[in-house]
Protein backbone atom coordinates (compact mmCIF):
# COMPACT_ATOMS: atom_id res chain seq x y z
CA UNK A 1 0.00 0.00 0.00
CA UNK A 2 2.97 2.32 0.40
CA UNK A 3 1.93 5.93 1.05
CA UNK A 4 -1.73 5.27 0.25
CA UNK A 5 -2.95 4.99 3.83
CA UNK A 6 -1.17 6.99 6.53
CA UNK A 7 -2.58 7.24 10.05
CA UNK A 8 -5.83 5.81 8.66
CA UNK A 9 -6.26 8.78 6.27
CA UNK A 10 -6.14 8.24 2.52
CA UNK A 11 -3.56 10.35 0.73
CA UNK A 12 -3.96 9.49 -2.98
CA UNK A 13 -7.09 9.38 -5.09
CA UNK A 14 -6.01 6.35 -7.20
CA UNK A 15 -5.30 3.78 -4.54
CA UNK A 16 -6.02 0.19 -5.65
CA UNK A 17 -6.32 -1.13 -2.06
CA UNK A 18 -7.35 -4.78 -1.55
CA UNK A 19 -10.29 -5.07 0.84
CA UNK A 20 -12.44 -7.63 2.60
CA UNK A 21 -16.09 -6.94 1.79
CA UNK A 22 -19.45 -8.24 2.99
CA UNK A 23 -22.34 -8.07 0.56
CA UNK A 24 -25.89 -9.23 0.04
CA UNK A 25 -26.95 -10.92 -3.19
CA UNK A 26 -30.62 -10.96 -4.14
CA UNK A 27 -32.31 -13.86 -5.93
CA UNK A 28 -31.58 -12.28 -9.32
CA UNK A 29 -27.82 -12.13 -8.60
CA UNK A 30 -27.62 -8.38 -7.92
CA UNK A 31 -24.73 -7.68 -5.50
CA UNK A 32 -25.16 -5.00 -2.84
CA UNK A 33 -22.03 -4.17 -0.78
CA UNK A 34 -22.78 -3.61 2.94
CA UNK A 35 -19.41 -2.99 4.61
CA UNK A 36 -15.70 -3.46 4.02
CA UNK A 37 -12.53 -3.49 6.01
CA UNK A 38 -8.89 -2.94 5.18
CA UNK A 39 -5.48 -2.93 6.78
CA UNK A 40 -3.74 0.43 7.15
CA UNK A 41 -0.03 1.07 6.81
CA UNK A 42 0.19 0.81 10.61
CA UNK A 43 -1.41 -2.69 10.41
CA UNK A 44 -4.63 -1.46 11.97
CA UNK A 45 -7.85 -3.06 10.68
CA UNK A 46 -10.48 -0.39 9.87
CA UNK A 47 -14.11 -1.18 9.07
CA UNK A 48 -16.38 1.10 7.03
CA UNK A 49 -20.13 0.87 6.56
CA UNK A 50 -21.40 1.61 3.06
CA UNK A 51 -24.00 4.34 3.44
CA UNK A 52 -25.24 4.37 -0.14
CA UNK A 53 -24.57 3.07 -3.63
CA UNK A 54 -24.48 5.88 -6.16
CA UNK A 55 -24.01 3.72 -9.25
CA UNK A 56 -23.09 0.25 -10.37
CA UNK A 57 -21.82 -1.09 -13.65
CA UNK A 58 -19.48 -3.51 -15.37
CA UNK A 59 -16.01 -2.95 -16.79
CA UNK A 60 -14.23 -5.11 -19.34
CA UNK A 61 -10.63 -4.03 -19.82
CA UNK A 62 -8.24 -6.26 -21.80
CA UNK A 63 -10.36 -9.30 -21.04
CA UNK A 64 -10.60 -8.58 -17.30
CA UNK A 65 -14.24 -8.42 -16.23
CA UNK A 66 -15.04 -6.40 -13.14
CA UNK A 67 -18.17 -5.18 -11.43
CA UNK A 68 -17.91 -1.50 -10.53
CA UNK A 69 -19.60 0.18 -7.56
CA UNK A 70 -19.47 3.88 -6.73
CA UNK A 71 -20.36 4.13 -3.05
CA UNK A 72 -20.56 6.61 -0.21
CA UNK A 73 -18.98 5.91 3.19
CA UNK A 74 -18.42 7.94 6.33
CA UNK A 75 -14.81 8.43 7.45
CA UNK A 76 -13.99 10.45 10.54
CA UNK A 77 -17.36 12.22 10.44
CA UNK A 78 -17.08 13.16 6.75
CA UNK A 79 -18.86 11.63 3.78
CA UNK A 80 -16.47 10.15 1.17
CA UNK A 81 -17.19 8.78 -2.29
CA UNK A 82 -15.16 5.90 -3.65
CA UNK A 83 -15.13 3.44 -6.51
CA UNK A 84 -14.84 -0.25 -5.63
CA UNK A 85 -14.35 -3.07 -8.10
CA UNK A 86 -14.96 -6.81 -7.92
CA UNK A 87 -12.90 -9.01 -10.23
CA UNK A 88 -15.22 -11.81 -11.36
CA UNK A 89 -12.34 -14.19 -12.25
CA UNK A 90 -10.29 -13.86 -9.05
CA UNK A 91 -13.29 -13.04 -6.83
CA UNK A 92 -11.31 -10.24 -5.14
CA UNK A 93 -12.53 -6.80 -4.08
CA UNK A 94 -10.48 -3.60 -4.15
CA UNK A 95 -10.91 0.11 -3.71
CA UNK A 96 -10.03 1.44 -7.14
CA UNK A 97 -10.11 5.16 -6.39
CA UNK A 98 -11.46 7.91 -4.19
CA UNK A 99 -13.58 10.43 -6.04
Amino acid sequence: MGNQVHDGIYQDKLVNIPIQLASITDRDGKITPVWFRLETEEHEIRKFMIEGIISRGEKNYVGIKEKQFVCRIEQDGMSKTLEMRYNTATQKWRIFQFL
Side-chain angles (χ1 to χ4, degrees):
M1 274 190 314
N3 300 354
Q4 295 169 348
V5 180
H6 182 68
D7 294 327
I9 306 297
Y10 304 103
Q11 303 298 323
D12 299 330
K13 289 189 178 207
L14 296 173
V15 290
N16 201 28
I17 300 171
I19 58 173
Q20 179 182 32
L21 185 134
S23 65
I24 297 173
T25 306
D26 69 13
R27 65 179 183 201
D28 296 324
K30 180 180 170 186
I31 298 172
T32 302
V34 178
W35 60 262
F36 68 89
R37 59 184 171 192
L38 55 81
E39 184 177 357
T40 67
E41 190 176 75
E42 294 78 23
H43 304 291
E44 174 189 17
I45 303 297
R46 302 231 13 222
K47 181 178 176 182
F48 299 91
M49 298 300 293
I50 296 171
E51 306 219 333
I53 298 172
I54 298 167
S55 69
R56 59 181 82 219
E58 294 189 17
K59 298 288 183 185
N60 190 358
Y61 181 71
V62 192
I64 299 171
K65 294 182 180 179
E66 294 184 312
K67 296 193 179 289
Q68 172 194 44
F69 298 85
V70 176
C71 301
R72 193 172 39 257
I73 64 167
E74 182 179 322
Q75 178 188 351
D76 301 324
M78 298 179 61
S79 182
K80 305 271 185 180
T81 303
L82 56 91
E83 178 183 342
M84 297 184 302
R85 292 193 180 180
Y86 174 71
N87 184 308
T88 58
T90 64
Q91 298 181 356
K92 293 182 179 179
W93 285 92
R94 65 192 169 111
I95 297 175
F96 181 71
Q97 67 180 331
F98 287 90
L99 305 170

